[in-house]
């Protein structure tokens, strides 16, 4: 995740789908969201929300090279190194991140994607290919589709060629987002009701 709350707002359906089949999930959050001086509080909120969603382990990065903010530029090699460490610790066989559009276009989301792409390139060069963890990206949809709620969910099932992960309980995703109390503002309240990302995720292999 780029920062705290992403795991629920954007990846929530996938987390629920994975939990429903007994998969173990870990969250690597690349920033502690300290742009407003609330980093420590938001880390606790993430732990609570992630625990509610059944996430087994949460790691929050607090690195001056990856500060929260629209004007911050995260070095690809630093992101890649963090991903590599987390993958080894968790013994992960799948890594999920944003695609190049970052869903919302936020530069931290885009930087997370680029860092994972960088990690994949170095990873395939240093280990046996068959043992490499698979990398998947959350697909950015057109703005016209983003807030069409159920209409886009049905259209996705009928027309999309991407892998789809559906939320098992959208209401629980709203509850989890409420646990991010310092970020529970009006536009996020609307997002978790009207955004298709609260109901389904489209995923593609990197």
């Amino acid at each position: 995740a780029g920062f705290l709350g992403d795991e629920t707002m954007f990846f929530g359906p996938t987390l629920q789908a994975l939990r429903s089949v007994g998969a173990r999930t870990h969250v690597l959050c690349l920033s502690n969201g300290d742009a407003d001086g609330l980093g420590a509080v938001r880390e606790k909120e993430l732990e609570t929300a992630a625990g509610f969603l059944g996430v087994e382990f949460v790691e929050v990065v607090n690195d001056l090279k990856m500060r929260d903010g629209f004007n911050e530029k995260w070095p690809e090699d630093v992101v890649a190194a963090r991903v590599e460490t987390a993958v080894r610790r968790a013994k992960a066989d799948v890594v999920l991140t944003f695609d190049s559009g970052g869903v919302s276009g936020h530069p931290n989301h885009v930087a997370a994607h680029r860092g994972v792409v960088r990690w994949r390139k170095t990873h395939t060069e240093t280990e046996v290919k068959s043992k490499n963890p698979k990398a998947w990206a959350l697909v950015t949809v057109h703005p016209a589709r983003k807030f069409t709620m159920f209409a886009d969910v049905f259209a996705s099932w009928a027309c999309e060629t991407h892998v789809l992960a559906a939320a098992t309980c959208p209401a629980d995703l709203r509850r989890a987002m409420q646990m991010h109390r310092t970020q529970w503002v009006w536009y996020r309240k609307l997002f978790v009701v009207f955004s298709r990302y609260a109901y389904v995720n489209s995923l593609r292999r990197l």
Side-chain angles (χ1 to χ4, degrees):
F3 41 79
L4 305 91
D6 289 352
E7 82 295 330
T8 302
M9 284 185 65
F10 303 114
F11 297 97
T14 300
L15 289 177
Q16 287 191 334
L18 289 171
R19 184 182 186 183
S20 71
V21 297
R24 298 167 57 198
T25 53
H26 298 239
V27 168
L28 171 66
C29 188
L30 294 170
S31 169
N32 71 344
D34 199 34
D36 300 319
L38 297 171
V41 174
R42 288 178 172 168
E43 286 186 37
K44 293 294 184 182
E45 292 173 347
L46 172 60
E47 291 174 5
T48 302
F52 178 75
L53 293 175
V55 174
E56 187 172 297
F57 181 79
V58 174
E59 178 184 356
V60 180
V61 175
N62 187 7
D63 189 325
L64 293 178
K65 294 179 181 178
M66 294 190 296
R67 297 178 66 88
D68 174 21
F70 278 93
N71 298 318
E72 299 294 332
K73 295 183 179 180
W74 294 358
E76 291 180 13
D77 59 331
V78 176
V79 175
R82 291 289 186 174
V83 172
E84 174 69 8
T85 300
V87 166
R88 290 184 179 276
R89 181 185 297 111
K91 298 180 180 178
D93 51 17
V94 174
V95 173
L96 175 62
T97 187
F98 293 100
D99 70 359
S100 59
V103 177
S104 64
H106 195 293
N108 296 164
H109 296 177
V110 175
H113 165 79
R114 291 174 178 169
V116 170
V117 171
R118 173 75 169 266
W119 163 78
R120 281 291 293 154
K121 289 179 180 178
T122 58
H123 206 258
T124 53
E125 293 171 358
T126 57
E127 295 192 19
V128 178
K129 188 173 183 179
S130 62
K131 295 182 179 180
N132 285 340
K134 305 298 186 294
W136 290 76
L138 178 63
V139 175
T140 299
V141 300
H142 190 278
R145 293 179 55 193
K146 189 180 294 185
F147 297 106
T148 52
M149 203 175 169
F150 293 115
D152 189 68
V153 173
F154 295 134
S156 296
W157 285 109
C159 305
E160 276 210 18
T161 57
H162 299 112
V163 172
L164 298 177
T168 58
C169 183
D172 277 349
L173 295 181
R174 289 192 285 274
R175 293 188 189 98
M177 197 61 218
Q178 289 174 20
M179 295 174 187
H180 289 278
R181 295 182 184 278
T182 60
Q183 301 188 72
W184 189 234
V185 294
W186 67 270
Y187 55 88
R188 290 193 176 95
K189 293 177 182 179
L190 293 176
F191 188 94
V192 297
V193 173
F194 294 104
S195 171
R196 59 102 67 182
Y197 290 95
Y199 303 94
V200 66
N201 287 161
S202 300
L203 309 172
R204 67 172 180 81
R205 283 283 298 272
L206 287 179

